[in-house]
C-alpha cells in the first residue's frame, strides 16, 4: 500500500446548482443548495484513500461545526487526521456555483487554512515516513515550501497541483518532482496557450509534468522522453467539481504502486470520469473497486 501524506486545505463547499451561472450584476434562481466537505487538500486525501492509499492529512480546521464535519468526513474515508489541527475561528469555505452543463465557478475563503503557514513539530517526521507528498496552493506558500523541502531532505517524492495558479518560487520548484496543472494553470505559469508547448516549457522548472485537459484527457512530459497523451473516458458530466483532485489522488496511488505512467494516467482518468457523473467534490469520489471496474471496461 502506498503511504501518502497530504499537506493542504480543508474547506466546506457551499454549493449552489443553477441552470445557468449568473453574469456580473445578474441574479438567477437556483434549484438546490448543498454543503459538501471539500478543499483541494482534503479532496486529494479522500481520493487517494478511496483509491487504496494509506493517507495522512496535515492541515487545519476551525473550532466550528464545519470543522467537526470536515474531520469526520476525512476519517470516514480512511484518512488519518492525527495531524489535522483545530484552531480558533471558522473553517475554510468554498462558495461554488455549478451550472447544468457541469461547469463551475469558485470563491475560496481560507478561514483556518490561513493559519497553516509553517510546519508544526512532528510534521516533518510524518512527511519523512511517506512514499509521496501531495501539495496544492490553498494554504500559505511558506508551509507549502517547507513541506516540499522536508520531503526532499528525506527522499520523499513530491507532487504539486499549482492551484490557485500563482508565481512559484525557485525554492519550491527545486523540491518538486511532478507538477500537475490544468490547462489554465499551465498557461498562467508559462504564458503559452498550447498545452503541449506549456507542458514542455514547464520542464525548465521541474522534471515531470502532467497537464490535465478535462474531457480530452491528460498530457505527460518528462525530461528526455517523448510526450504521452492519454484520453479520458467519454461520459456526460453532472458536476466537474473535484475532478482534478480525484485524478491527482488516484494518480498518486497508481504511481506509488509502480504502474507505468501511461497506465497510471488511464487509471486516474477512470477515477475522474466516475467523479464527474456525481454531484459534489469529496462526495463524488470513487472507491478502488469502482475504479478498477471502470478502468477494465
Amino acid at each position: 500500500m502506498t503511504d501518502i501524506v497530504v499537506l493542504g486545505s480543508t474547506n466546506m463547499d457551499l454549493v449552489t446548482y443553477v441552470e445557468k451561472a449568473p453574469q456580473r450584476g445578474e441574479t438567477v434562481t437556483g434549484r438546490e443548495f448543498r454543503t459538501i466537505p471539500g478543499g483541494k487538500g482534503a479532496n486529494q486525501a479522500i481520493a487517494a484513500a478511496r483509491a487504496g492509499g494509506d493517507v495522512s492529512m496535515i492541515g487545519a480546521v476551525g473550532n466550528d461545526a464545519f470543522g467537526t464535519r470536515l474531520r469526520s468526513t476525512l476519517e470516514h474515508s480512511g484518512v488519518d487526521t492525527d495531524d489535522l489541527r483545530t484552531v480558533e475561528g471558522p473553517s475554510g469555505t468554498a462558495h461554488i456555483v455549478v451550472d447544468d452543463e457541469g461547469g463551475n465557478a469558485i470563491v475560496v475563503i481560507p478561514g483556518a487554512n490561513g493559519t497553516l503557514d509553517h510546519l508544526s513539530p512532528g510534521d516533518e517526521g510524518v512527511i519523512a515516513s511517506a512514499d509521496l507528498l501531495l501539495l496544492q496552493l490553498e494554504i500559505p506558500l511558506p508551509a507549502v515550501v517547507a513541506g516540499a523541502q522536508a520531503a526532499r531532505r528525506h527522499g520523499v517524492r513530491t507532487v504539486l497541483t499549482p492551484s490557485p495558479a500563482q508565481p512559484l518560487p525557485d525554492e519550491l520548484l527545486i523540491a518538486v518532482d511532478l507538477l500537475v496543472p490544468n490547462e489554465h494553470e499551465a498557461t498562467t505559469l508559462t504564458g503559452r496557450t498550447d498545452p503541449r508547448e506549456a507542458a514542455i516549457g514547464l520542464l525548465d522548472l521541474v522534471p515531470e509534468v502532467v497537464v490535465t485537459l478535462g474531457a480530452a484527457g491528460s498530457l505527460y512530459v518528462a525530461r528526455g522522453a517523448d510526450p504521452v497523451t492519454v484520453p479520458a473516458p467519454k461520459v456526460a458530466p453532472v458536476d466537474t467539481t473535484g475532478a482534478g483532485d480525484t485524478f491527482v489522488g488516484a494518480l498518486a496511488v497508481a504511481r506509488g504502486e509502480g504502474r507505468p505512467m501511461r497506465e497510471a494516467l488511464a487509471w486516474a482518468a477512470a477515477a475522474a470520469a466516475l467523479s464527474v457523473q456525481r454531484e459534489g467534490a469529496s462526495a463524488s469520489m470513487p472507491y478502488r473497486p469502482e475504479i478498477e471496474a471502470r478502468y477494465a471496461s
Side-chain angles (χ1 to χ4, degrees):
M1 183 177 288
T2 305
D3 290 324
I4 296 171
V5 171
V6 180
L7 170 60
S9 59
T10 58
N11 292 322
M12 185 60 72
D13 291 348
L14 310 178
V15 188
T16 301
Y17 296 92
V18 298
E19 179 181 356
K20 184 177 181 296
Q23 301 298 309
R24 184 175 182 177
E26 180 184 11
T27 299
V28 300
T29 299
R31 58 179 171 79
E32 185 181 2
F33 171 77
R34 297 175 67 187
T35 57
I36 305 171
K40 295 195 72 65
N43 286 345
Q44 291 185 5
I46 290 170
R50 291 184 179 183
D54 186 358
V55 183
S56 298
M57 177 82 197
I58 300 174
V61 296
N63 60 343
D64 55 6
F66 285 168
T68 300
R69 187 175 167 198
L70 288 165
R71 184 181 297 275
S72 175
T73 299
L74 285 161
E75 292 172 350
H76 184 72
S77 292
V79 178
D80 186 323
T81 63
D82 286 351
D83 296 283
L84 179 67
R85 41 243 197 212
T86 299
V87 300
E88 291 290 330
S91 298
T93 54
H95 303 253
I96 305 172
V97 175
V98 180
D99 63 35
D100 281 353
E101 294 182 357
N104 62 67
I106 305 173
V107 176
V108 174
I109 309 297
N113 297 303
T115 70
L116 196 66
D117 57 3
H118 63 281
L119 296 184
S120 292
D123 288 347
E124 182 160 344
V126 174
I127 293 170
S129 67
D131 299 312
L132 287 166
L133 172 67
L134 299 186
L135 298 167
Q136 323 77 35
L137 301 176
E138 285 187 344
I139 60 173
L141 196 57
V144 179
V145 173
Q149 291 175 334
R152 181 51 53 96
R153 283 194 292 272
H154 296 282
V156 176
R157 285 181 56 80
T158 298
V159 179
L160 171 64
T161 303
S163 176
Q166 59 185 273
L168 302 178
D170 291 342
E171 61 263 35
L172 173 58
L173 291 167
I174 200 171
V176 170
D177 295 294
L178 173 63
L179 191 68
V180 189
N182 62 22
E183 292 176 84
H184 167 72
E185 292 152 1
T187 296
T188 299
L189 291 172
T190 65
R192 304 176 185 181
T193 56
D194 179 84
R196 185 185 180 99
E197 292 181 2
I200 292 172
L202 289 169
L203 291 180
D204 292 337
L205 307 177
V206 295
E208 294 182 279
V209 178
V210 172
V211 179
T212 57
L213 307 172
S218 60
L219 170 66
Y220 169 71
V221 296
R223 294 171 182 168
D226 293 330
V228 173
T229 300
V230 176
K234 302 300 182 184
V235 297
V238 173
D239 182 357
T240 59
T241 309
D245 295 327
T246 302
F247 179 92
V248 171
L251 178 62
V253 172
R255 288 298 282 165
E257 293 173 351
R259 299 185 189 226
M261 182 55 86
R262 185 182 292 274
E263 179 184 332
L265 291 170
W267 200 76
L274 289 166
S275 76
V276 301
Q277 296 176 80
R278 307 165 182 171
E279 292 184 343
S282 62
S284 72
M285 292 173 174
Y287 287 86
R288 188 179 183 99
E290 299 175 275
I291 302 171
E292 295 283 16
R294 187 66 179 85
Y295 174 72
S297 63

